[in-house]
Amino acid sequence: MIIDSHCHLDDERYNDDIDAVIERAKEQGVEKFIIPGADPKTLARAVELAEKYDEVYFSVGVHPYDAKNYDRNYLEKYVSHVKCVAIGECGLDYFRLPESEEAIEIEKKLQKEVFIDQILWAKELKLPLIVHIRESSVDCLELLEKHAGEDGGVLHCYNADESLLKLSSKNFYYGIGGVLTFKNAKKLINVYPKIPNDKLIIETDAPYLTPHPYRGKRNEPSYTKHIASKMVELSAIEQDRLESMTTNNTKRLFTKIR
Ligand code: NI
């Protein structure tokens, strides 16, 4: 049994075949799904899916790309929902920055403010965080060490930066996705064995980051098997054990999952 701890099933690319997507995943042993709230525009769809399917949960937050649309009052309506399991995905993303120095400073400042507000909100509600980190390890580490509460969270889009392993002692987990199956993922493959076993969780980030051998196609939760197989290869533990271990880890972090 596997939990896909990060799949954007509220994305419009699943509008036409969501039942089949969930069915295919269940056939591959995926028992639960978490839709990370990234874009307030699709949050209503995430809630609709969580109310329709027992296996689907969601979180509430704003992705760094969308920082300018952050509005805690709007999100507040959804956060007390019985199936809202976390705050996020929030974080910092310095991959796509504007051109001028001045615009870069403004963008970074905005992303940090919005990230800090979500960290503090999670602490207040005693919910874990789903954190997106890209080209921003130093700043993310600083903000999480300074502000995060005891409920920790998961580092998604984990870009293999070893310095982030420090957060495992602050109840942070590491979301492993399709990148692990890529031929050019040397950095992640080197860091992977250093992640404590009890801090590993599985995520597809569907519809993005499709694992090998489906790269180029739309990603979906049924492909978690390919991520798990690669983890088995690198961990030297059996598939069944890896699946139950990561599932238990995911449930330990997201305590509202039933
Ligand atoms: Ni994502």
Side-chain angles (χ1 to χ4, degrees):
M1 286 297 200
I2 295 175
I3 298 178
D4 187 348
S5 65
H6 193 120
C7 46
H8 297 276
L9 298 179
D10 54 344
D11 191 284
E12 60 181 13
R13 274 167 275 188
Y14 300 112
N15 283 357
D16 294 337
D17 65 343
I18 185 68
D19 292 326
V21 167
I22 289 183
E23 214 33 61
R24 273 198 294 277
K26 284 164 78 175
E27 278 162 20
Q28 294 299 316
V30 182
E31 62 168 334
K32 294 185 196 309
F33 310 80
I34 300 174
I35 305 175
D39 180 349
K41 290 191 289 299
T42 57
L43 192 52
R45 173 69 176 161
V47 176
E48 183 191 326
L49 293 172
E51 289 177 350
K52 181 170 176 197
Y53 300 96
D54 277 352
E55 304 87 350
V56 174
Y57 295 80
F58 69 97
S59 71
V60 160
V62 169
H63 193 281
Y65 285 158
D66 234 4
K68 61 179 181 314
N69 294 324
Y70 181 65
D71 176 1
R72 208 209 259 202
N73 289 334
Y74 174 76
L75 300 176
E76 204 107 3
K77 283 197 297 194
Y78 298 95
V79 82
S80 55
H81 193 287
V82 66
K83 297 188 90 179
C84 172
V85 299
I87 298 290
E89 69 180 281
C90 53
L92 302 174
D93 190 316
Y94 298 164
F95 181 67
R96 280 194 232 162
L97 284 173
E99 289 208 345
S100 78
E101 288 284 310
E102 201 192 341
I104 289 174
E105 278 322 300
I106 293 170
E107 171 69 19
K108 285 189 175 178
K109 189 167 171 271
L110 174 69
Q111 284 195 20
K112 284 184 195 170
E113 277 169 14
V114 168
F115 185 29
I116 292 171
D117 196 74
Q118 291 178 90
I119 299 172
L120 297 177
W121 195 24
K123 184 151 78 177
E124 185 188 313
L125 298 175
K126 301 196 186 323
L127 285 172
L129 287 161
I130 297 175
V131 184
H132 173 101
I133 301 178
R134 196 167 181 198
E135 317 257 312
S136 57
S137 301
V138 174
D139 287 356
C140 269
L141 186 62
E142 185 193 320
L143 296 184
L144 288 170
E145 285 193 311
K146 194 164 167 199
H147 302 289
E150 287 168 8
D151 298 280
V154 56
L155 307 181
H156 150 71
C157 255
Y158 176 59
N159 54 358
D161 202 337
E162 220 178 309
S163 64
L164 296 168
L165 291 179
K166 273 211 282 187
L167 289 168
S168 65
S169 64
K170 286 205 83 182
N171 204 22
F172 276 84
Y173 289 66
Y174 300 86
I176 305 296
V179 173
L180 194 70
T181 68
F182 297 172
K183 287 205 172 63
N184 56 359
K186 284 203 189 83
K187 210 176 150 198
L188 179 56
I189 287 171
N190 285 334
V191 173
Y192 178 83
K194 297 176 188 160
I195 304 173
N197 273 343
D198 66 352
K199 290 291 186 293
L200 288 169
I201 70 178
I202 296 180
E203 59 175 37
T204 53
D205 201 20
Y208 314 103
L209 297 173
T210 312
H212 177 79
Y214 300 108
R215 252 183 121 170
K217 292 193 184 165
R218 179 189 73 174
N219 195 3
E220 58 172 66
S222 63
Y223 299 159
T224 47
K225 274 278 170 192
H226 299 276
I227 301 166
S229 301
K230 187 69 187 179
M231 290 166 81
V232 165
E233 196 185 309
L234 297 169
S235 308
I237 56 176
E238 286 164 18
Q239 184 101 11
D240 282 358
R241 225 199 109 213
L242 183 112
E243 290 182 13
S244 61
M245 181 181 88
T246 51
T247 293
N248 290 338
N249 293 346
T250 308
K251 288 181 175 169
R252 198 183 319 117
L253 175 64
F254 299 106
T255 53
K256 285 177 75 181
I257 289 184
R258 290 287 160 258

